[in-house]
């Protein structure tokens, strides 16, 4: 009986539990799979609705309006006078206040000759005053499609090409910096269709040639930022500038130099771009970047009096919505470029022996700070170099004098054994040994001096500090151009002849005539070198003559001086 009751109670309890779970218990939370299924069921009806078509680039391009002329915004600092135009938000003018245009008026003997022969051009009255250097030249007779303004931003999507010429809104009409306003920014903004936006923020500095540039974009997948056509090239066509104009850059840690006359249509480099620029002998325009990009240099033909055109662009694909750059446009002064960082001073090419050229340049600047005359600074620098090289050059001079002493005996040996070259060489070596003379003793010390002389030559060749630097006002007004009266070339030639006469060891009169002819030819070949270089060469020759006279006197007093033996 008890067992029946227990079974009945258990059955009723189970029935009540089942009824409760079925009709009254709360529903358990849905599993993730059920939630996803429910979401899909909810979204599915919406997905079946027709999709809203995307706006094509062509449709957007049709709504973009190109600017007509734009408005000029003049930016003045103590160093530059720049002009920024709102049509494209580009630079249209860049004037250097502290550098004057090169005076191309012919002076000196050449001018006198033309005047007496009636070939001289009539002088302008009043004479036109030289203006400041313009780093963005204005050309006439050049196809407009070949000219690109600096800071032109062109989208990689060719359908949106009009964006490079739209009207930007500027936050001010002009900008004047000074000691009381050392830095200020100019903001250019464009808001276009389909949410496209471009902003260029240009931060100028009163006492620097640089501009910090922040470019912000929206609705653009990538773009090219142009350095412009011939920006930074103040002199392309003069003989002094030939071979020095071109594209320069540092990408992936490697220095790149592409001369304008070597570019066949287009030159391209990709990698991490530290900086890239365009430069001539004394001036440059460069962009400092520090990220991945593609540098493209393009050459376009132009009339001979203008010279072929160079346009350099940077392609930006990574994070085009926010990028920063620094523009430098000014002189190729080693100290100024070095202060910009990123190794920009590599643009000043001191050649193979730059490790010697850099301290020489520094020393020349120190002498200038004292004398305020680069001509005197060159004289002092040449003397210092000669003093440092005194001992090796003295050994060379001593060896040459010793060789001259045994020349008659060497000549006799050559004549005696001219039909037996092997015996002749043996007798000559025996003669050298008896007189303790090293036939290479005069050459090896000279080779040791060569890097110093080449380094100094390069310093004087490329230093902008010598441009329009006066030595003697009524004679040499510019150490970077040739001596107008050709006094230095003649003095150099005379000093070379004297040096040859004092140091020549050849007994052959025919060879002596050839060497004399070569020294005379050097007068004409070197006549067009910069006066600063000729001043260095001439003074160096004079010091060599003085040293040779000292050696002769030393040998005459004590010919067996052991300390100078080879």
């Amino acid at each position: 009986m008890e067992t029946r009751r227990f079974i009945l109670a258990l059955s009723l309890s189970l029935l009540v539990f089942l009824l409760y779970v079925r009709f009254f218990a709360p529903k358990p939370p849905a599993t993730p799979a059920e939630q996803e299924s429910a979401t899909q069921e909810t979204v599915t009806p919406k997905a079946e609705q027709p999709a809203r078509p995307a706006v094509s680039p062509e449709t957007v391009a049709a709504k973009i309006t190109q600017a007509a002329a734009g408005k000029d915004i003049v930016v003045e600092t103590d160093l530059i006078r720049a002009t920024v135009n709102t049509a494209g938000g580009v630079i249209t003018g860049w004037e250097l206040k502290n550098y004057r245009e090169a005076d191309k008026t012919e002076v000196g003997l050449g001018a006198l000759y033309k005047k007496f022969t009636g070939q001289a051009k009539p002088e302008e009255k009043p004479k036109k005053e030289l203006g400041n250097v313009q780093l963005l030249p204005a050309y006439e007779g050049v196809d407009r499609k070949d000219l690109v303004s600096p800071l032109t931003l062109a989208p990689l999507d060719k359908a949106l090409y009009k964006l490079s010429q739209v009207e930007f809104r500027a936050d001010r009409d002009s900008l004047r910096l000074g000691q009381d306003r050392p830095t200020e920014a100019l903001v250019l903004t464009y808001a276009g269709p389909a949410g496209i936006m471009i902003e260029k923020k240009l931060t100028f500095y009163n006492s620097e040639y640089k501009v910090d540039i922040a470019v912000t974009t929206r609705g653009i997948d990538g773009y090219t930022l142009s350095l412009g056509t011939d920006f930074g090239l103040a002199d392309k066509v003069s003989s002094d500038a030939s071979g020095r104009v071109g594209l320069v850059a540092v990408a992936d840690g490697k220095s790149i130099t592409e001369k304008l006359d070597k570019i066949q249509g287009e030159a391209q480099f990709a990698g991490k771009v530290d900086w890239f620029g365009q430069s001539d002998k004394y001036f440059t325009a460069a962009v400092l970047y520090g990220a991945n990009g593609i540098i493209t240099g393009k050459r376009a033909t132009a009339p001979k009096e203008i010279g072929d055109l160079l346009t350099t662009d940077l392609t930006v694909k990574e994070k085009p919505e926010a990028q920063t750059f620094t523009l430098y446009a000014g002189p190729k002064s080693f100290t100024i470029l070095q202060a910009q960082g990123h190794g920009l001073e590599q643009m000043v090419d001191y050649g193979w022996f730059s490790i010697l050229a850099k301290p020489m340049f520094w020393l020349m600047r120190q002498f200038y700070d004292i004398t305020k005359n680069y001509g005197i600074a060159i004289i002092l620098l040449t003397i210092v170099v000669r003093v440092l090289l005194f001992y090796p050059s003295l050994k060379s001079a001593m060896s040459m004098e010793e060789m001259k002493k045994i020349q008659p005996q060497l000549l006799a040996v050559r004549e005696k054994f001219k039909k037996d070259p092997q015996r002749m060489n043996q007798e000559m070596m025996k003669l050298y040994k008896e007189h303790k003379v090293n036939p290479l003793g005069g050459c090896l010390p000279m080779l040791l001096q060569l890097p110093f002389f080449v380094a100094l030559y390069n310093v004087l060749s490329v230093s902008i500090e010598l441009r329009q630097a006066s030595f003697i006002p009524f004679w040499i007004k510019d150490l970077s151009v040739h001596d107008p009266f050709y006094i230095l070339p003649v003095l150099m030639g005379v000093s070379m002849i004297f040096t040859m006469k004092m140091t020549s060891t050849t007994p052959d009169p025919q060879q002596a005539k050839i060497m004399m002819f070569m020294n005379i030819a050097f007068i004409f070949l070197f006549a067009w070198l910069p006066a600063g270089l000729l001043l260095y060469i001439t003074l160096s020759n004079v010091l060599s003559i003085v040293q040779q006279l000292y050696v002769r006197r030393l040998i005459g007093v004590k010919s067996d001086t052991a300390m100078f033996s080879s």
Side-chain angles (χ1 to χ4, degrees), residues 192-266:
I196 291 176
M197 186 276 294
I198 304 173
E199 180 185 275
K200 301 177 184 179
K201 182 180 179 181
L202 313 180
T203 304
F204 292 84
Y205 298 86
N206 182 59
S207 57
E208 297 188 61
Y209 291 99
K210 74 174 185 177
V211 181
D212 287 334
I213 304 169
V215 177
T216 305
T217 64
R218 188 171 62 239
I220 300 175
D221 293 332
Y223 56 83
T224 61
L225 184 70
S226 181
L227 186 56
T229 302
D230 283 0
F231 188 27
L233 307 182
D235 181 13
K236 293 194 303 179
V237 296
S238 71
S239 58
D240 191 39
S242 62
R244 299 180 184 272
V245 177
L247 182 157
V248 287
V250 170
D252 287 335
K254 299 178 181 178
S255 295
I256 298 168
T257 302
E258 283 288 329
K259 301 302 180 185
L260 177 58
D261 55 1
K262 301 297 182 183
I263 297 176
Q264 301 298 324
E266 184 177 292

Side-chain angles (χ1 to χ4, degrees), residues 164-177:
S164 63
Q165 302 167 1
V166 294
E167 181 72 20
F168 280 76
R169 180 173 55 83
D171 66 339
R172 61 190 70 208
D173 296 327
S174 63
L175 198 57
R176 180 67 178 96
L177 303 184

